[in-house]
């Protein structure tokens, strides 16, 4: 990797409580600047409940780290005293890499500190799903993107995938569709890139992305419907992971009206009903398309094929039934759905909301990142770590 990683925190901190307090305060301030900037320090103190002196101190630290900067000073307008100089996020210096491994392809991307995709590339799988080979190609793809982005300094790499992904160990524990088991992604990608690597499941990554850069607030449920179908739930400031990050495994949730036989032997399991493989198989059987690309089904619907449209709306309606079940169990304030038809067509979104029911339909929305959802999923894993602990980006943060 042709860039130098930002140094990580190495200096010993004598008191854990003080360190945690500083980390939490810095996180709250950086998120306030992200959400409200350009914003005066006095307003940050009001928004966060921190003392003006603490805000001033942390803003100085975050400025030294290159994470925030002073915005253009306002003109003096007849008042007395020095005008308040607002601060804003400095999105000109740093990037994070993002890697998302799906069944048909790997997405590599660069994101800025606002979660915006700066560069993106899709690397199609060629049949060899050996994890080291896939991760090597991803590292090469990231290096090429960085070579084409002069001046952007990478802070780290985020990795996301479906299946069972253990954030703490940095391991893909099990991804049956890829044939991966106990793959040490963090170690492999870290060795190849020379950068800090952070790993999580894509549904959890997208919940964090929604809360940082999207529209979702309060308690949030995210339902991801691709070849893999899984979910994530966040309340307060935390996404629920469960023991070894196994929460959100809903592939075998029974869906009313399901007819597909799952590999587990039951009928009507959520992933068997909703996966893109099932959608494409049904489309082939109906003579709509050939192959296994669900985007071709969407294109056929957009070209006026009534069978393709019915397949997509039926899938959206079944997704709505699953959302209704999850709403009954978890009762979140907001449900965010990532599903091909719902992201692309108003009639699919309407079918989903109709299945959820009129009383709760307004709580359901498509992802905020329809044009780059997989790139954002990967990069937001690293960005979530940054916004939770911004002082760890440099040994100056002591």
């Amino acid at each position: 990797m042709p860039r130098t990683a930002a140094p990580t925190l190495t200096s010993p901190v004598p008191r854990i409580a003080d360190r945690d307090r500083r980390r939490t305060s810095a996180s709250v301030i950086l998120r306030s600047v992200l959400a409200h900037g350009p914003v005066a320090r006095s307003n940050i103190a009001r928004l966060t409940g921190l003392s003006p002196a603490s805000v001033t101190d942390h803003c100085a630290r975050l400025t030294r780290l290159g994470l925030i900067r002073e915005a253009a000073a306002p003109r003096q307008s007849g008042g007395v005293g020095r005008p308040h100089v607002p601060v804003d996020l400095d999105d000109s210096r740093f990037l994070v890499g993002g890697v998302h491994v799906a069944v048909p392809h790997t997405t590599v991307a660069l994101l800025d500190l606002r979660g915006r995709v700066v560069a993106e590339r899709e690397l199609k799988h060629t049949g060899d799903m050996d994890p080291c080979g896939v991760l090597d190609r991803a590292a090469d793809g990231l290096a090429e993107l960085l070579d084409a982005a002069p001046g952007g300094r990478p802070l780290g790499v985020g990795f996301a995938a479906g299946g069972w992904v253990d954030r703490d160990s940095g391991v893909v524990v099990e991804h049956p569709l890829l044939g991966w088991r106990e793959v040490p992604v963090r170690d492999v990608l870290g060795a190849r890139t020379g950068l800090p690597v952070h790993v999580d499941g894509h549904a959890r990554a997208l919940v964090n992305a929604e809360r940082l850069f999207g529209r979702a607030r309060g308690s949030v449920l995210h339902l991801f419907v691709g070849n893999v179908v899984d979910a994530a739930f966040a309340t307060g400031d935390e996404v629920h992971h469960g023991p070894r990050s196994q929460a959100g495994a809903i592939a075998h949730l029974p869906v009313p009206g399901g007819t597909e036989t799952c590999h587990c032997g039951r009928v009507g399991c959520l992933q068997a009903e909703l996966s893109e493989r099932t959608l494409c198989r049904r489309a082939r059987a109906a003579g709509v398309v050939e192959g296994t690309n669900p985007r071709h089904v969407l294109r056929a619907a957009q070209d006026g094929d009534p069978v393709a449209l019915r397949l997509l709306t039926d899938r959206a309606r079944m997704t709505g039934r699953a959302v209704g079940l999850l709403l009954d169990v978890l009762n979140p304030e907001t449900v965010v759905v990532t599903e091909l038809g719902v992201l692309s067509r108003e009639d699919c979104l309407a079918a989903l909301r109709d299945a959820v029911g009129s009383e709760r339909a307004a709580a359901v929305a498509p992802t905020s990142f329809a044009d780059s959802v997989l790139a954002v999923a990967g990069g937001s894993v690293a960005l979530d770590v940054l916004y939770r602990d911004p002082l760890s980006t440099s040994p100056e943060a002591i």
Side-chain angles (χ1 to χ4, degrees), residues 212-298:
L212 282 171
F213 314 113
R215 299 180 294 268
R217 299 296 181 267
S219 57
V220 183
L221 168 70
H222 186 277
L223 177 62
F224 187 100
V225 181
N227 280 304
V228 172
V229 179
D230 52 15
F233 180 65
T235 184
D237 192 38
E238 294 295 333
V239 177
H240 181 59
H241 281 76
R244 209 183 176 192
S245 300
Q246 207 170 357
I250 59 170
H252 299 288
L253 180 73
V255 182
T259 60
E260 289 288 325
T261 300
C262 181
H263 66 82
C264 73
R266 292 179 291 182
V267 174
C269 290
L270 185 61
Q271 185 165 292
E273 292 292 336
L274 296 183
S275 77
E276 290 176 347
R277 288 184 169 187
T278 300
L279 173 68
C280 290
R281 180 179 55 75
R282 289 172 174 170
R284 290 194 303 273
V288 174
V289 297
E290 298 179 357
T292 58
N293 190 335
R295 297 173 188 169
H296 294 168
V297 183
L298 177 63

Side-chain angles (χ1 to χ4, degrees), residues 18 100 130 145 238 280 287 373:
D18 289 347
H100 179 279
D130 171 67
L145 293 182
E238 294 295 333
C280 290
V373 65

